[in-house]
C-alpha cells in the first residue's frame, strides 16, 4: 500500500527533540491549566456542589454517601469526591485542592494523546494534537473546574487510545487486515487481558460519570467495528459515492452484523471487569441509603436527562455543532478545510491503512458523541467535550499535511482559515471589551485578552506561506497565540471577573455565627454560599412547613431544607437570612418580630442587590 504524503512513523527523530517536545507540552499545560488555579473563587453551580460534597464526607468520615448542604447528592457518583478528599488532605480545603485533580488529569490526557498519536500518525502530528487539545476553550474550562468532566475525559481518552494502540495500528498491516485467520480479524484485542484493561478503565468511568463513562467509549469502538467488520469493507469501501456509499453505510446496522459485532467485543467479560471495579461502591451506597441513591441516580438523572429537558437545558440539532465551533476554538476555525482534507484523503484508491484506521476512529468518536447527545433532551456544552481529543487528532493531521504541502484538497480553504482567525480575534476583542464594561465594573480592558489572537491573526493574513518553512512558522505563531489567549482568558480574565464578587462580605458574617444558628435564603440561593459560608443553608418559602431535622436513623442528610419563614424564625434563636433587596420588605412585613439589615452587596453578575438580615428572636407563644 502506498503512503500518500504521510509523516514517517518510527523513532528516527533525535531523542533530545522528543524531550524538548515533551517539555513544551508540559509547559503549555502548566500555563493554561495551573496558573491562578487557586486564586479564583469556585463558580456556581457545580463547582461548589462537588467541593462541598467532598468536604461534608470528610467531616463525617464517610467514604460512601455524598451529600451537599446536608442533602443527599445523587447527581454524580463517587470518584470525583474521593479525589477531591485526597487533595484536601494534601493541600488543605481550598480552591486549588478542589481543582487539582481536574488540572492534573487533563494534563495526563494531553500527554497520553501526544504519545499514542505520535506512535500512530507521526511524532509531529501527536505533538500538534496535544497542543491543540490543551489550548481549546472548553477543554481548558474542564481542566480548571471542580467537575467530573476532566476525570471522564481522561478515562474516556485512555480507553479509546488503548484500543487504538493495541488494535488499530496492528490492523494497518495489509496481510492482517484481510486475513480471516488473523487473531485481529475481529477488530478486537488480541487477548483477554488487553480487553480487561479496557473494561477496567470503563469501570473507573462508571465511578466518575455513571453510565456515560461506560456506554460512550463502547459506542465509539462499536461504531468503528461495525464499519470495519463489513465483509467487503477493505475492497469496496472506496468505491462509489452519493447514495451508494449511504446504503453501504446502512449495512453496518444489519441486525445480524450488529449482534456479531457486539459479541466480538466480549460483553460478558467486559461486564465482569466493569462490575469488579464499580459494583462494590454502588452496592454500598444503595445499602446505606435504602436504595434511594440508586433510584435517583439511574432513574431521575440518567433516564430523566435523556427524555426530558432538565433545568431548561434544551436545544435543537444545531446545538452541538455550534458547541463544537465555540468549544474547540480557536482550532475550530479550520473545521471546513480539515473536513475537506479528510474526505479527499479517504476517497483515494491507495491508502495508508494505519492512517485510515485512525481517521475513521476520529470520525466515529465525534459522530457518536454528537449523535447520542443530540438525541438526548437535556443539552449542555460539556456533554461533547470528551470528543475534543478526536477533533485534535483530525485537525493536527490535516494541518500537518498543509504544512508539508501534500494536501489533496484546495489549499485556499486553509488560507481562508487565516482570515477567519483574524475576524474572530477582532470580534472577540470587541465582545470582551463590551462585556467588561457592562458586567464587570466597567473593565473594558478585558478586550486585551484577545490581543494574542489579534496579533497572530494579522501575522497569518500578511504572511506568504508558499514554502514549508513559512507554513511551519505560521503554525508556531498560531500555537503561541492560542496558548497566550487561553491562559489570559482562563487565568487572568476569570480572575478579574471573580474579583468583582462582593459576596464574601456577607459570607464572612455567616462563618462567624455559632453552629447552632440558622442560616437561610429567601428566593435566592447559590451553591457557593454553602461552601464559603461553612454552614447549612435553608430555603424559605411561605407555607413550606416546619424546619426538618436530620433523620436520626440516617444521620447523614435531611430530606429537604425548605421551610416557612415564620417557622424558621421561631426555631432558631439566632437566624440570618439572605434575600434580594426587592423582596426584603415582603419578608420583614410577614415575620413575627421583623429583622435588621446587617449587610448589602451587589448580586454577582446580576442587576440586583442582596441583603443579609438578622431576624429578631420571637417566643413560640407570640407566634400569630
Amino acid at each position: 500500500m502506498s503512503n500518500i504524503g504521510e509523516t514517517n512513523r518510527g523513532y528516527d527523530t533525535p531523542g533530545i527533540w522528543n524531550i524538548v517536545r515533551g517539555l513544551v507540552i508540559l509547559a503549555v499545560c502548566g500555563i493554561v491549566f495551573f496558573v491562578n488555579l487557586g486564586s479564583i473563587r469556585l463558580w456556581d453551580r457545580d463547582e461548589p456542589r462537588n467541593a462541598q460534597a467532598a468536604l461534608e464526607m470528610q467531616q463525617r468520615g464517610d467514604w460512601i454517601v455524598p451529600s451537599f448542604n446536608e442533602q443527599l447528592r445523587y447527581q454524580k457518583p463517587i470518584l470525583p469526591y474521593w479525589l477531591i478528599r485526597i487533595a484536601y488532605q494534601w493541600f488543605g480545603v481550598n480552591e486549588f485542592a478542589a481543582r487539582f485533580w481536574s488540572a492534573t488529569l487533563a494534563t495526563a490526557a494531553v500527554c497520553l494523546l501526544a504519545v499514542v498519536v505520535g506512535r500512530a500518525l507521526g511524532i509531529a502530528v501527536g505533538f500538534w494534537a496535544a497542543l491543540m487539545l490543551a489550548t481549546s476553550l472548553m477543554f481548558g474550562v474542564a481542566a480548571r473546574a471542580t467537575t467530573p468532566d476532566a476525570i471522564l475525559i481522561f478515562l474516556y481518552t485512555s480507553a479509546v487510545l488503548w484500543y487504538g494502540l493495541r488494535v488499530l495500528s496492528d490492523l494497518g498491516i495489509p496481510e492482517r487486515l484481510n486475513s480471516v485467520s488473523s487473531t485481529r480479524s475481529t477488530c478486537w484485542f488480541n487477548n483477554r487481558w488487553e480487553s480487561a484493561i479496557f473494561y477496567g478503565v470503563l469501570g473507573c468511568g462508571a465511578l466518575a460519570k455513571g453510565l456515560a463513562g461506560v456506554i460512550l467509549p463502547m459506542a465509539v469502538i462499536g461504531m468503528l467495528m461495525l464499519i470495519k467488520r463489513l465483509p467487503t469493507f477493505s475492497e469496496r469501501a472506496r468505491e462509489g459515492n452519493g447514495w451508494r456509499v449511504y446504503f453501504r453505510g446502512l449495512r453496518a446496522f444489519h441486525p445480524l452484523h450488529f449482534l456479531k459485532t457486539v459479541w466480538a467485543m466480549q460483553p460478558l467479560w467486559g461486564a465482569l471487569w466493569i462490575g469488579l471495579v464499580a459494583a462494590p461502591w454502588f452496592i454500598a451506597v444503595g445499602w446505606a441509603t435504602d436504595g434511594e441513591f440508586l433510584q435517583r441516580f439511574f432513574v431521575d438523572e440518567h433516564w430523566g436527562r435523556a427524555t426530558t429537558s432538565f433545568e431548561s437545558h434544551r436545544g435543537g440539532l444545531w446545538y452541538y455543532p455550534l458547541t463544537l465551533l465555540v468549544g474547540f476554538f480557536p482550532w475550530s476555525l479550520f473545521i471546513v478545510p480539515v473536513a475537506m482534507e479528510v474526505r479527499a484523503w479517504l476517497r483515494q484508491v491507495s491508502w495508508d491503512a494505519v492512517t485510515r484506521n485512525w481517521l475513521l476512529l476520529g470520525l466515529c468518536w465525534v459522530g457518536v458523541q454528537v449523535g447520542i447527545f443530540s438525541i438526548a433532551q437535556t443539552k449542555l456544552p460539556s456533554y461533547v467535550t470528551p470528543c475534543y481529543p478526536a477533533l485534535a487528532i483530525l485537525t493536527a493531521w490535516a494541518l500537518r499535511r498543509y504544512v508539508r504541502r501534500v494536501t489533496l484538497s484546495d489549499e485556499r480553504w486553509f488560507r481562508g482559515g487565516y482570515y477567519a482567525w483574524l475576524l474572530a480575534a477582532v470580534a472577540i476583542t470587541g465582545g470582551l471589551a463590551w462585556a467588561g464594561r457592562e458586567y464587570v465594573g466597567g473593565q473594558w480592558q478585558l478586550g486585551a485578552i484577545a490581543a494574542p489572537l489579534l496579533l497572530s491573526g494579522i501575522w497569518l493574513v500578511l504572511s506568504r506561506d508558499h514554502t514549508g518553512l513559512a507554513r511551519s512558522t505560521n503554525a508556531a505563531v498560531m500555537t503561541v497565540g492560542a496558548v497566550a489567549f487561553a491562559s489570559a482568558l482562563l487565568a487572568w480574565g476569570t480572575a478579574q471577573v471573580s474579583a468583582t464578587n462582593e459576596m464574601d462580605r456577607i459570607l464572612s458574617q455567616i462563618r462567624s455565627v455559632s453552629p447552632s444558628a440558622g442560616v437561610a435564603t429567601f428566593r435566592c440561593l447559590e451553591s457557593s454560599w454553602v461552601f464559603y459560608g461553612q454552614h447549612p443553608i435553608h430555603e424559605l418559602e411561605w407555607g413550606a412547613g416546619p424546619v426538618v431535622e436530620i433523620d436520626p436513623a440516617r444521620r447523614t442528610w435531611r430530606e429537604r431544607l425548605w421551610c416557612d419563614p415564620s417557622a424558621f424564625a421561631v426555631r432558631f434563636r439566632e437566624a440570618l437570612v439572605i434575600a434580594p433587596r426587592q423582596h426584603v420588605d415582603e419578608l420583614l412585613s410577614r415575620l413575627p418580630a421583623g429583622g435588621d439589615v446587617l449587610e448589602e452587596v451587589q448580586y454577582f453578575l446580576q442587576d440586583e442587590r442582596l441583603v443579609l438580615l438578622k431576624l429578631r428572636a420571637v417566643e413560640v407563644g407570640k407566634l400569630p
Side-chain angles (χ1 to χ4, degrees):
M1 291 188 181
S2 63
N3 189 335
I4 307 177
E6 288 303 300
T7 303
N8 291 329
R9 299 181 192 88
Y11 308 93
D12 54 345
T13 303
I16 184 65
W17 288 110
N18 290 336
I19 295 174
V20 170
R21 288 188 178 98
L23 293 176
V24 169
I25 291 172
L26 290 176
V28 168
C29 291
I31 293 171
V32 177
F33 301 160
F34 284 93
V35 172
N36 268 352
L37 187 65
S39 302
I40 303 169
R41 294 172 62 90
L42 299 178
W43 298 90
D44 291 302
R45 302 179 178 173
D46 288 339
E47 272 204 296
R49 290 176 180 173
N50 296 319
Q52 178 66 16
L55 179 58
E56 291 185 16
M57 294 181 69
Q58 178 172 287
Q59 292 170 341
R60 297 195 312 267
D62 184 0
W63 290 90
I64 302 299
V65 181
S67 65
F68 169 75
N69 198 22
E70 296 187 349
Q71 300 170 83
L72 180 64
R73 178 153 175 77
Y74 56 84
Q75 288 82 359
K76 300 291 185 291
I78 200 64
L79 184 57
Y81 311 130
W82 283 347
L83 294 178
I84 295 171
R85 281 193 62 178
I86 293 172
Y88 284 164
Q89 296 295 324
W90 293 346
F91 307 110
V93 180
N94 53 56
E95 292 88 347
F96 179 83
R99 296 170 173 144
F100 170 77
W101 281 106
S102 291
T104 301
L105 292 178
T107 302
V110 170
C111 294
L112 188 63
L113 190 72
V115 172
V116 177
V117 175
R119 288 192 60 180
L121 300 178
I123 294 174
V125 176
F127 176 68
W128 292 113
L131 295 181
M132 289 175 182
L133 180 61
T135 54
S136 59
L137 184 59
M138 276 302 297
F139 186 82
V141 170
R144 298 178 65 91
T146 311
T147 64
D149 294 334
I151 305 172
L152 173 66
I153 293 170
F154 169 72
L155 295 170
Y156 191 151
T157 303
S158 299
V160 175
L161 292 184
W162 173 249
Y163 174 85
L165 181 68
R166 301 304 302 163
V167 178
L168 293 186
S169 295
D170 283 353
L171 278 174
I173 303 174
E175 56 269 22
R176 288 193 176 183
L177 178 66
N178 296 316
S179 173
V180 177
S181 61
S182 171
T183 59
R184 302 298 183 98
S185 62
T186 60
C187 302
W188 190 242
F189 293 99
N190 192 40
N191 61 65
R192 284 181 175 268
W193 298 112
E194 290 179 348
S195 63
I197 294 174
F198 174 80
Y199 282 119
V201 173
L202 297 194
C204 294
L207 293 176
K209 197 76 172 181
L211 294 179
V214 176
I215 294 175
L216 293 174
M218 289 188 65
V220 170
I221 303 304
M223 186 71 239
L224 179 67
M225 291 177 62
L226 285 173
I227 295 172
K228 292 186 64 61
R229 282 169 50 85
L230 286 173
T232 58
F233 177 80
S234 59
E235 295 84 7
R236 298 184 181 177
R238 300 185 294 271
E239 300 176 6
N241 50 48
W243 287 105
R244 284 185 291 175
V245 173
Y246 174 75
F247 283 117
R248 283 199 183 99
L250 291 180
R251 293 177 55 208
F253 297 97
H254 186 281
L256 183 59
H257 177 69
F258 183 87
L259 292 175
K260 287 182 177 180
T261 301
V262 170
W263 186 251
M265 296 177 71
Q266 300 174 330
L268 299 181
W269 181 249
L272 171 64
W273 283 98
I274 293 172
L276 287 175
V277 173
W281 175 77
F282 280 103
I283 294 172
V285 75
W287 179 271
T289 61
D290 299 328
E292 183 176 353
F293 182 95
L294 300 180
Q295 191 276 331
R296 293 193 177 187
F297 180 68
F298 288 109
V299 178
D300 297 352
E301 281 295 305
H302 283 73
W303 180 253
R305 288 183 180 271
T307 57
T308 60
S309 177
F310 270 35
E311 300 175 344
S312 300
H313 296 309
R314 60 174 64 91
L317 294 178
W318 50 267
Y319 185 90
Y320 285 119
L322 181 60
T323 296
L324 294 181
L325 290 176
V326 175
F328 196 61
F329 182 86
W331 306 106
S332 58
L333 297 172
F334 294 93
I335 189 169
V336 172
V338 168
M340 295 181 66
E341 180 64 17
V342 171
R343 178 178 180 272
W345 195 90
L346 288 177
R347 287 170 60 86
Q348 291 301 297
V349 174
S350 297
W351 285 356
D352 168 46
V354 173
T355 301
R356 179 200 61 215
N357 292 336
W358 280 87
L359 293 184
L360 287 174
L361 175 64
L363 293 174
C364 291
W365 198 339
V366 176
V368 167
Q369 190 79 25
V370 173
I372 289 178
F373 284 107
S374 293
I375 297 172
Q377 295 301 304
T378 301
K379 292 179 170 60
L380 286 171
S382 60
Y383 286 174
V384 294
T385 310
C387 77
Y388 284 21
L391 291 174
I393 294 171
L394 296 173
T395 305
W397 174 83
L399 288 180
R400 175 63 177 164
R401 288 178 60 80
Y402 176 69
V403 167
R404 297 182 66 233
R405 305 182 67 192
V406 293
T407 56
L408 298 174
S409 57
D410 193 336
E411 290 189 347
R412 288 177 295 182
W413 288 102
F414 288 92
R415 183 76 183 177
Y418 293 169
Y419 290 93
W421 188 288
L422 179 59
L423 291 175
V426 172
I428 292 172
T429 301
L432 289 176
W434 174 82
R437 187 190 65 184
E438 294 294 325
Y439 299 105
V440 194
Q443 296 189 42
W444 57 268
Q445 63 270 25
L446 288 180
I449 291 174
L453 286 181
L454 190 61
L455 294 175
S456 57
I458 293 173
W459 172 282
L460 294 173
V461 170
L462 296 180
S463 67
R464 296 188 178 185
D465 59 347
H466 299 308
T467 66
L469 178 61
R471 293 181 179 184
S472 296
T473 302
N474 287 344
V477 168
M478 287 190 294
T479 303
V480 171
V483 172
F485 170 71
S487 58
L489 178 65
L490 299 175
W492 181 76
T494 54
Q496 298 302 307
V497 176
S498 179
T500 65
N501 193 337
E502 303 176 357
M503 194 61 194
D504 200 56
R505 287 159 48 189
I506 288 179
L507 297 174
S508 62
Q509 298 200 42
I510 293 176
R511 290 193 294 268
S512 66
V513 302
S514 66
S516 61
V519 179
T521 61
F522 182 67
R523 299 189 178 173
C524 64
L525 177 62
E526 301 294 346
S527 304
S528 60
W529 301 351
V530 180
F531 180 79
Y532 289 109
Q534 299 176 11
H535 203 289
I537 297 181
H538 294 74
E539 293 185 77
L540 305 181
E541 185 63 47
W542 299 114
V547 178
V548 178
E549 305 293 343
I550 294 179
D551 184 349
R554 290 177 174 174
R555 300 189 301 278
T556 53
W557 73 89
R558 292 182 172 96
E559 294 297 330
R560 55 184 296 182
L561 289 180
W562 287 92
C563 60
D564 184 84
S566 298
F568 179 79
V570 172
R571 167 64 180 79
F572 295 101
R573 302 295 297 175
E574 183 181 11
L576 301 179
V577 177
I578 305 172
R581 163 53 71 183
Q582 59 182 329
H583 296 300
V584 169
D585 293 339
E586 172 196 353
L587 180 62
L588 293 178
S589 65
R590 298 177 63 177
L591 286 173
D596 303 304
V597 175
L598 296 182
E599 190 66 75
E600 183 173 343
V601 301
Q602 183 68 34
Y603 202 156
F604 183 54
L605 298 181
Q606 298 195 37
D607 190 21
E608 60 180 322
R609 297 185 68 78
L610 292 174
V611 173
L612 177 64
L613 299 171
K614 183 175 182 180
L615 304 188
R616 300 190 188 112
V618 60
E619 299 297 333
V620 177
K622 296 182 180 180
L623 183 64

